[in-house]
Amino acid sequence: MGEPGVPALSLTLDHPARVAGLALVCPGVTGYEGLASPELTAEIGRLAQAGDMDGPVALGLRTWAAAGTGDDPAAAAQLRSAIPAWFTDFPHEVPGAPAFDGLGELAVPCVLLLGEHDQPEVVRCNEEMAARVPGCRLVRLPGSDHTPTLREPEAVARPVLELSARAGTSDRSRDRSSG
């Protein structure tokens, strides 16, 4: 399964002038050792090959939506809506270029939100990512797992809107200084 954040990070590293700010919500990143679980990847592959539509929901609720209750219809619905893409994309995934070591090159305003109840590997990765990105604001979401937009939507929106306002101000400053 693809890692959230990878396309945004790749674009920002490859074309920094096209990005005014970067909001990362529980992201993954290529080139970080220990983020992907071979067992989890194998289980997702097995479920995808079997065409099992319920197994990935149960797996996702245990793995990525652990902050919810055992019966979590909103998280289950979100996972269920993603499953067709998993099954379609899984056999064709191509790993992106490693980005973790290049995070220190990012020169745009950045906020990284991490769910405190996310997988320990993701939390560790997110902490290390934020430490590498110059000036990155790390926002810890104590009531969230890997689905913070479900768990704490206002807590996600606030720093993203603040970043957007800050990035918009930097763009206007750059426009004035170059004109």
Side-chain angles (χ1 to χ4, degrees):
M1 186 171 67
E3 298 168 357
V6 169
L9 286 167
S10 295
L11 174 68
T12 307
L13 287 167
D14 293 345
H15 305 285
R18 298 182 74 186
V19 179
L22 191 57
L24 300 168
V25 181
C26 303
V29 62
T30 53
Y32 180 84
E33 293 297 321
L35 181 58
S37 160
E39 297 82 15
L40 183 62
T41 302
E43 180 65 8
I44 291 169
R46 187 186 67 71
L47 294 168
Q49 287 177 341
D52 182 347
M53 296 299 277
D54 294 321
V57 173
L59 177 66
L61 289 171
R62 286 190 314 273
T63 307
W64 300 297
T69 62
D71 180 31
D72 192 340
Q78 188 176 55
L79 288 162
R80 196 170 303 286
S81 71
I83 290 170
W86 292 1
F87 287 0
T88 303
D89 296 347
F90 187 79
H92 308 288
E93 283 191 354
V94 176
F100 183 72
D101 288 338
L103 294 177
E105 299 169 20
L106 295 176
V108 298
C110 182
V111 62
L112 190 149
L113 293 86
L114 75 80
E116 294 272 335
H117 296 282
D118 205 339
Q119 293 173 273
E121 301 85 0
V122 176
V123 172
R124 220 175 6 261
C125 174
N126 287 181
E127 290 169 339
E128 291 182 36
M129 288 174 69
R132 284 180 175 241
V133 176
C136 181
R137 177 179 172 211
L138 176 64
V139 177
R140 295 176 177 277
L141 302 170
S144 290
D145 43 35
H146 204 66
T147 61
T149 54
L150 277 178
R151 307 290 181 219
E152 302 177 82
E154 295 84 16
V156 172
R158 265 190 309 278
V160 171
L161 291 171
E162 290 166 5
L163 172 74
S164 179
R166 204 168 88 220
T169 302
S170 330
D171 279 351
R172 286 192 295 277
S173 298
R174 275 196 302 246
D175 290 346
R176 279 193 294 261
S177 66
S178 63

